[in-house]
Amino acid sequence: MPRTATGESSLARAVRILESFTLDEPELTVSEVARRAGLPLATASRIVGQLVEYGLLGRGPGREVRVGFRMWELASRAAPTRSLRNAAMPYLEDLHAVVGHHAQLAVLQGDEVVFLERLSARDAVVNYSEIAGRLPPHISSSGVVLMAYGPAELQERVLARPLESWTAETITTPDRLRATLDQVRRRGYALLAGHVHRDATGIAVPVRNGLGEVVAALSVIVPNDARAVSAVPALLAAARGIGRSLR
Amino acid sequence: MPRTATGESSLARAVRILESFTLDEPELTVSEVARRAGLPLATASRIVGQLVEYGLLGRGPGREVRVGFRMWELASRAAPTRSLRNAAMPYLEDLHAVVGHHAQLAVLQGDEVVFLERLSARDAVVNYSEIAGRLPPHISSSGVVLMAYGPAELQERVLARPLESWTAETITTPDRLRATLDQVRRRGYALLAGHVHRDATGIAVPVRNGLGEVVAALSVIVPNDARAVSAVPALLAAARGIGRSLR
DNA sequence: CGGACCCTCCCATCCATTGAGAGGGTGTTT
DNA sequence: AAACACCCTCTCAATGGATGGGAGGGTCCG
């Protein structure tokens, strides 16, 4: 029964296979891959075999499959991430050294916030964000900053959707989100205490490129107490430095 | 004239297309991609179009093509890189803060050295290594460490090949390389002054996992002068810390 | 305004891809 | 030790998605 249920290119299937790996489950069996990608086992086995051959996937000591080293290598050539990261890294380090806990760099991708880089102290407060991890924009300080300075359509789309709640402090009404965005634009930074986790405060500022466009958000996560606001000047200064490095 | 010159899967071609992007030239035109991947223009155009649709490639403001954000996202889920990087990052930061210049983490991949992470000061001495960049093992201090503690077959393969020369100091004879490897094993670290660039000294130490296996090299690049050796204790201490974090 | 590049779409041809099933693993339960 | 429940890879005939020369239409430059 050949070629029957298809209607899609083999490339599309390969990409679906690559997408079945997540941050939480970076290792899967072939069967699991087949299930997630919605492919017959034999087909999944064959494509996985090819991807392993080309290095995009790799095999662990058993038969489990994971994303391959070659994939990481190819992806690290991605220009958008690289130039921003290179410009930001020294400032992110300084920020981390001074403020402690977590210092992060995030960008907008689709309608979500993606963290490009994160520096964490070993004894830092909890933090749910992960490098390459995604969060809805209304949850985190980075997201609110990126929304506030982002395209109007994005704001409308996010405001139109139900706002997921993570703690008692999370913004869950469009009105409150709108008010927060206004406040961020007035103040030039976002400070959200206990929105992601009750013990943590996120503080974020916009990073502007040479043209004045907001291209990223720089943020720190600190304990949820009165001293949190003192991190704002360091953030603003670091964001300016990154902007200058971006030419 | 369809399907004639093929004999290979479309997936193989897609991977060849992804591989035509390099660190030095992260943006290519479709014609350039076709040339590098050895594909007819029409075919390259079609596959590039698909890869863009799936997000593995992206388009710049003009028509130029680059590696896509989604590719970076998928690759960041690669387990081998992630756990080592996460364990090493805090120590790499401390090392960088204390020693200055460049602090790097490298692993062996194939018969080459690949840099997983690098922290650089803005005013640091020159450094040719790049994140996701490759170097032949005999050139750099990281490479020599990874060779010294690596599998015997690797040493034989590298010793059998011609040893490329970068500066007057570069190791170019098998005898000298063998002697250097012995010295590294005796001392527990590698110090190569002026091998990559005459003004820079590389110092590297092995990073061991919980089983005592050498899984990476930790290194710093400092100015080529008498103070260089003083970085060794800090490197050794950091490598032990990383090893402990790897459980 | 000619020349040298770019890029995408078209479409008749046909071979690489397909997936059920066989065959053979490994690990756990009865 | 047998039964079970998973795993995974290979085979093979049928076929529809991939193929690539060329047409058509861009942009840039001197």
Side-chain angles (χ1 to χ4, degrees), chain A residues 67-136:
Chain A
V67 175
F69 191 88
R70 182 123 267 264
M71 179 95 177
W72 174 81
E73 228 180 318
L74 293 174
S76 299
R77 300 171 181 170
T81 303
R82 281 223 313 152
S83 62
L84 183 56
R85 210 202 87 103
N86 287 345
M89 216 44 200
Y91 297 95
L92 204 62
E93 269 190 86
D94 291 346
L95 193 61
H96 183 223
V98 173
V99 179
H101 299 274
H102 309 278
Q104 346 182 276
L105 183 71
V107 296
L108 220 43
Q109 199 65 16
D111 284 0
E112 291 181 299
V113 177
V114 180
F115 291 89
L116 291 188
E117 190 59 74
R118 188 184 67 169
L119 297 179
S120 300
R122 267 154 283 175
D123 56 350
V125 290
V126 287
N127 185 356
Y128 288 134
S129 70
E130 282 231 51
I131 293 177
R134 287 172 175 255
L135 285 182

Side-chain angles (χ1 to χ4, degrees), chain B residues 167-181:
Chain B
T167 73
E169 298 301 324
T170 307
I171 298 169
T172 50
T173 67
D175 279 351
R176 187 153 163 241
L177 181 49
R178 235 185 294 266
T180 306
L181 295 179

Side-chain angles (χ1 to χ4, degrees), chain B residues 127-180:
Chain B
N127 185 356
Y128 287 134
S129 70
E130 280 231 54
I131 292 177
R134 287 174 175 254
L135 286 183
H138 74 282
I139 290 282
S140 67
S141 57
S142 301
V144 169
V145 160
L146 291 169
M147 260 187 97
Y149 297 96
E153 312 91 72
L154 168 75
Q155 289 161 36
E156 282 159 30
R157 280 195 302 272
V158 175
L159 284 163
R161 280 198 301 252
L163 300 170
E164 210 184 318
S165 175
W166 286 34
T167 73
E169 298 301 324
T170 307
I171 298 169
T172 50
T173 67
D175 279 351
R176 187 153 163 241
L177 181 49
R178 235 185 294 266
T180 306

Side-chain angles (χ1 to χ4, degrees), chain B residues 167-231:
Chain B
T167 73
E169 298 301 324
T170 307
I171 298 169
T172 50
T173 67
D175 279 351
R176 187 153 163 241
L177 181 49
R178 235 185 294 266
T180 306
L181 295 179
D182 280 344
Q183 194 189 47
V184 167
R185 275 183 289 252
R186 269 198 320 274
R187 287 182 176 172
Y189 68 89
L191 191 155
L192 303 190
H195 289 226
V196 175
H197 185 285
R198 47 170 303 185
D199 297 338
T201 292
I203 315 167
V205 299
V207 176
R208 297 172 189 277
N209 65 10
L211 305 167
E213 301 158 343
V214 173
V215 292
L218 185 69
S219 63
V220 292
I221 310 290
V222 296
N224 185 358
D225 62 31
R227 290 166 304 169
V229 71
S230 66

Side-chain angles (χ1 to χ4, degrees), chain A residues 31-45:
Chain A
S31 308
E32 189 57 34
V33 169
R35 229 168 287 132
R36 296 190 184 205
L39 294 173
L41 178 58
T43 304
S45 173

Side-chain angles (χ1 to χ4, degrees), chain B residues 53-72:
Chain B
E53 189 184 328
Y54 304 139
L56 296 197
L57 293 180
R59 302 228 191 221
R63 285 225 270 296
E64 71 276 16
V65 183
R66 60 167 64 133
V67 175
F69 191 88
R70 180 124 269 263
M71 179 95 177
W72 174 82

Side-chain angles (χ1 to χ4, degrees), chain A residues 12-43:
Chain A
R13 295 172 156 210
V15 174
R16 275 230 305 292
I17 287 182
L18 293 177
E19 283 178 341
S20 45
F21 296 88
T22 63
L23 275 170
D24 304 317
E25 292 173 88
E27 297 200 344
L28 301 173
T29 63
V30 173
S31 308
E32 189 57 34
V33 169
R35 229 168 287 132
R36 296 190 184 205
L39 294 173
L41 178 58
T43 304

